[in-house]
């Protein structure tokens, strides 16, 4: 057994001060959907938990025209239920409603998911496709630069994700093929169409986490229709291969799920 102290700051300043005081012994908690199970398995044993869920500066959803900003402390359920987001970017709200189960959606937060960058997390695919920005208590980072590898991001020690922002596209949608047991995405695809082209973000299938499928983007920018990617081949080398599906299986899923996401976007 080990002891863990619990801290509940009410401001970013208080949270960062606690993190400085605790150093390597402290960990931020923002929903705890990954950290708590990891602690239960004795794979992590922080001596101090700094709970960010009650920091007011991390709350709120702002929609100004087609510009959307979501506080890092907002839960998936709050994002899914937001009429403001649904009005300009229904695909993003729908994505939030597909995360985990009701318990996860009411506890897990946008900031926690983005900062953790689980290889099957849903938001990274959307933020890559939407050309999103991750805001922290120190700076702003584009999604393309933020997500760097399996559980690796551009965050520095003690840095907090305060919000994410993006411009709503003309059309978008998210589709995912779920693991029947865990409900995690074996492959999730977010497509976003704008006047200057299409971006495709993929999660769950890549061995290094979410990525942009450039070949799919080129094909869909020329013809935004499911059949546009029919003749493409996704390289197996960078795909996940495990007991749930081989790298070849996941490579094919990228194409199949992309078709479904495009069809869904066209139906909005």
């Amino acid at each position: 057994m080990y002891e863990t102290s619990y801290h509940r700051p009410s401001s970013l300043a208080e949270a960062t001060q606690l993190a400085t005081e605790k150093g390597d012994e402290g960990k931020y908690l923002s929903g705890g959907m990954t950290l708590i199970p990891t602690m239960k398995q004795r794979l992590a044993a922080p001596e101090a938990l700094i709970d960010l869920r009650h920091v007011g500066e991390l709350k709120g959803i702002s929609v100004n025209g087609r510009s959307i900003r979501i506080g890092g402390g907002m839960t998936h359920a709050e994002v899914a239920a937001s009429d403001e987001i649904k009005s300009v970017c229904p695909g993003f709200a729908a994505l939030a409603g597909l995360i985990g189960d009701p318990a996860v959606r009411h506890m897990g937060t946008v900031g926690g998911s983005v900062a953790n960058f689980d290889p099957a997390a849903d938001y990274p695919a959307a933020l890559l496709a939407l050309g999103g920005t991750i805001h922290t208590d120190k700076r702003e980072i584009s999604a393309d630069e933020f997500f760097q590898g399996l559980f690796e991001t551009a965050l520095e020690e003690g840095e907090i994700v305060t919000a994410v922002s993006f411009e709503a596209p003309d059309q978008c949608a998210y589709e995912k093929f779920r693991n029947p047991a865990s409900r995690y995405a074996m492959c999730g695809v977010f497509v976003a169409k704008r006047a200057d082209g299409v971006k495709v973000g993929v999660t769950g299938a890549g061995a290094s986490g979410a990525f942009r499928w450039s070949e799919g983007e080129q094909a869909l920018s020329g013809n935004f229709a499911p059949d546009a990617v029919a003749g493409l081949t996704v390289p197996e080398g960078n795909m996940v291969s495990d007991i749930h599906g081989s790298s070849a299986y996941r490579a094919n899923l990228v194409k199949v799920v992309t078709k479904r996401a495009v069809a869904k976007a066209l139906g909005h």
Side-chain angles (χ1 to χ4, degrees):
M1 297 294 291
Y2 59 89
E3 292 186 359
T4 301
S5 61
Y6 172 81
H7 303 270
R8 185 172 165 171
S10 57
S11 68
L12 277 175
E14 186 181 354
T16 54
Q17 181 180 347
L18 281 166
T20 300
E21 293 173 355
K22 302 301 178 182
D24 293 338
E25 300 174 354
K27 292 291 184 184
Y28 289 129
L29 179 71
S30 184
M33 296 298 96
T34 297
L35 180 57
I36 298 302
T38 303
M39 291 174 64
K40 288 181 177 180
Q41 297 174 45
R42 300 298 191 263
L43 298 175
E47 295 184 16
L49 292 177
I50 304 168
D51 192 346
L52 301 176
R53 292 177 302 153
H54 307 282
V55 175
E57 294 146 281
L58 302 181
K59 302 294 185 179
I61 293 172
S62 172
V63 177
N64 183 9
R66 301 191 67 79
S67 298
I68 299 172
R69 182 184 175 104
I70 304 169
M74 299 302 288
T75 66
H76 314 318
E78 289 171 326
V79 173
S82 171
D83 289 334
E84 290 180 295
I85 296 177
K86 290 178 184 178
S87 67
V88 294
C89 194
F92 195 88
L95 174 151
L98 293 174
I99 296 175
D101 55 29
V104 169
R105 291 193 291 274
H106 282 84
M107 286 294 292
T109 63
V110 174
S113 177
V114 169
N116 188 56
F117 191 26
D118 187 285
D122 300 280
Y123 290 126
L127 292 172
L128 287 170
L130 291 165
T133 299
I134 289 82
H135 303 259
T136 78
D137 56 328
K138 298 179 180 179
R139 54 188 170 141
E140 298 179 359
I141 314 166
S142 70
D144 285 328
E145 296 178 351
F146 183 85
F147 300 112
Q148 299 185 345
L150 197 64
F151 292 105
E152 293 184 12
T153 70
L155 288 174
E156 298 174 350
E157 190 67 30
E159 197 169 6
I160 299 172
V161 174
T162 57
V164 299
S165 66
F166 54 88
E167 291 288 321
D170 298 329
Q171 293 173 294
C172 69
Y174 180 65
E175 185 61 74
K176 71 176 176 179
F177 186 87
R178 305 166 183 80
N179 181 304
S182 69
R183 313 306 289 170
Y184 279 114
M186 291 182 64
C187 178
V189 176
F190 195 100
V191 295
K193 180 181 183 294
R194 303 180 191 276
D196 59 353
V198 177
K199 288 185 178 181
V200 180
V202 181
T203 190
S208 296
F211 63 94
R212 282 176 56 190
W213 185 25
S214 57
E215 293 84 357
E217 292 178 346
Q218 293 171 12
L220 291 169
S221 292
N223 177 26
F224 193 63
D227 289 344
V229 300
L232 301 182
T233 300
V234 180
E236 300 176 23
N238 296 325
M239 297 293 107
V240 173
S241 182
D242 57 23
I243 61 172
H244 304 294
S246 66
S247 56
Y249 180 73
R250 280 190 168 84
N252 186 63
L253 272 181
V254 171
K255 187 165 65 173
V256 171
V257 178
T258 298
K259 288 182 179 180
R260 295 176 181 175
V262 173
K264 183 182 287 188
L266 290 170
H268 280 167

